[in-house]
Amino acid sequence: MILAAERSGELSRGSGQTILEPTGGNTGLGIAMAASVLGYRVVLVIPDNYSREKQRLLRAFGCEIVLSDSRRGNNSHGELAQEILLEHPEYVLLNQGANPANPRAHQESTVIEILADLGDVRVRHLVAGVGTGGHITGVGSVLKKALGDLTVHAVQPDGCDLLDQRFVRHKIQGLAIGYLPQVLDTSVIDTVETVTAEDAATGMRLLMSQEGIAAGISTGANIAACLKVAALAPGETILTFAYDSAHDYLELL
Ligand SMILES: Cc1ncc(COP(=O)(O)O)c(C=O)c1O
């Protein structure tokens, strides 16, 4: 997204311009890393119920953190970012939920890595959480063309109905961000798997005890959804994502 903004002339490398972004933390971390190297200032708007460890890390990167009131809904940070933009029209909002460079990055890199790693392995199911919809759209669209017979399962927290635009407060950070994002191509989704926060925590524990992988709560949700898919499709190969580390979510275990 930063490279796209540089190409369009919105951002100029080394200028010290300010990038503004509402984020649950991980896109913010990516922006912080890139901005350090490319010479931008970063203001991130994060819901106040999101991981404190991530906030500390982002501050250590030199980002300014503005906390939104999570009681105002799943998109409290998006709404506050829009208000900040009104006060600071010179800030550049990357707007990951509406920026076509988000899914494009997954089409141009994530899925290429996946296809190279898969080799001859025949994947029948893709299980992916939906936050901005960037990776399910980018990876799902290319994989469907490349593999033909692929079922794409979107993962959502219990109580939300993504396609019907119903969102409730939930504990699976990274998923169901409170609105249907523009970058999400719903035609890529074949079916939606609903997962409780408890199932997601169980998924985290399973990954630790059986694979030695300490991954976060939205990854745990993917594992819980994979188990549902596997129960109905024994012997078929499922591809899913591990997004971040368990360290930021230990209080959920
Ligand atoms: C931990 C975590 N899980 C899931 C997602 C959802 O990914 P996407 O925004 O591509 O839908 C994100 C997005 O940043 C994330 O940080």
Side-chain angles (χ1 to χ4, degrees):
M1 290 189 289
I2 292 176
L3 293 179
E6 287 182 340
R7 277 195 293 270
S8 73
E10 233 188 321
L11 283 174
S12 172
R13 198 169 285 197
S15 62
Q17 278 170 285
T18 299
I19 296 173
L20 168 70
E21 187 67 5
T23 166
N26 286 329
T27 302
L29 190 54
I31 293 170
M33 292 157 99
S36 303
V37 179
L38 302 177
Y40 299 111
R41 192 179 154 253
V42 180
V43 177
L44 300 173
V45 191
I46 300 181
D48 59 8
N49 61 346
Y50 269 45
S51 159
R52 300 237 184 296
E53 285 72 18
K54 258 185 219 163
Q55 292 174 28
R56 274 202 286 272
L57 182 60
L58 292 166
R59 284 200 181 91
F61 260 105
C63 301
E64 184 185 325
I65 306 296
V66 181
L67 295 179
S68 66
D69 183 351
S70 57
R71 290 169 306 178
R72 301 184 67 160
N74 292 358
N75 191 31
S76 61
H77 51 323
E79 286 161 12
L80 184 55
Q82 289 295 341
E83 286 171 29
I84 293 172
L85 193 61
L86 286 177
E87 281 171 37
H88 293 279
E90 74 281 12
Y91 286 4
V92 175
L93 182 72
L94 296 176
N95 206 1
Q96 53 181 316
N99 191 331
N102 169 0
R104 204 183 322 127
H106 293 291
Q107 285 167 339
E108 290 173 359
S109 68
T110 316
V111 73
I112 307 300
E113 285 178 36
I114 290 170
L115 283 168
D117 282 354
L118 281 178
D120 296 335
V121 177
R122 199 163 142 36
V123 170
R124 283 292 321 278
H125 302 270
L126 170 68
V127 171
V130 178
T132 65
H135 77 289
I136 198 169
T137 298
V139 172
S141 57
V142 175
L143 271 192
K144 275 194 162 178
K145 281 196 197 111
L147 303 178
D149 194 9
L150 178 81
T151 305
V152 175
H153 306 255
V155 180
Q156 70 179 3
D158 187 34
C160 294
D161 188 341
L162 188 68
L163 300 179
D164 208 24
Q165 302 209 45
R166 197 179 71 231
F167 298 98
V168 294
R169 288 184 69 186
H170 63 84
K171 292 187 179 160
I172 310 180
Q173 294 180 30
L175 306 192
I177 53 178
Y179 63 97
L180 200 63
Q182 265 167 268
V183 302
L184 173 66
D185 177 359
T186 52
S187 72
V188 165
I189 299 173
D190 296 300
T191 166
V192 180
E193 309 293 339
T194 299
V195 171
T196 65
E198 291 71 30
D199 289 344
T202 304
M204 279 177 78
R205 285 197 200 90
L206 266 176
L207 259 191
M208 285 185 201
S209 62
Q210 299 199 6
E211 303 290 342
I213 295 171
I217 190 71
S218 56
T219 306
N222 279 354
I223 297 301
C226 283
L227 292 176
K228 289 188 187 186
V229 174
L232 295 175
E236 295 183 358
T237 303
I238 305 170
L239 171 72
T240 194
F241 295 86
Y243 304 111
D244 62 359
S245 139
H247 294 103
D248 293 331
Y249 310 95
L250 295 176
E251 72 277 10
L252 296 174
L253 291 179

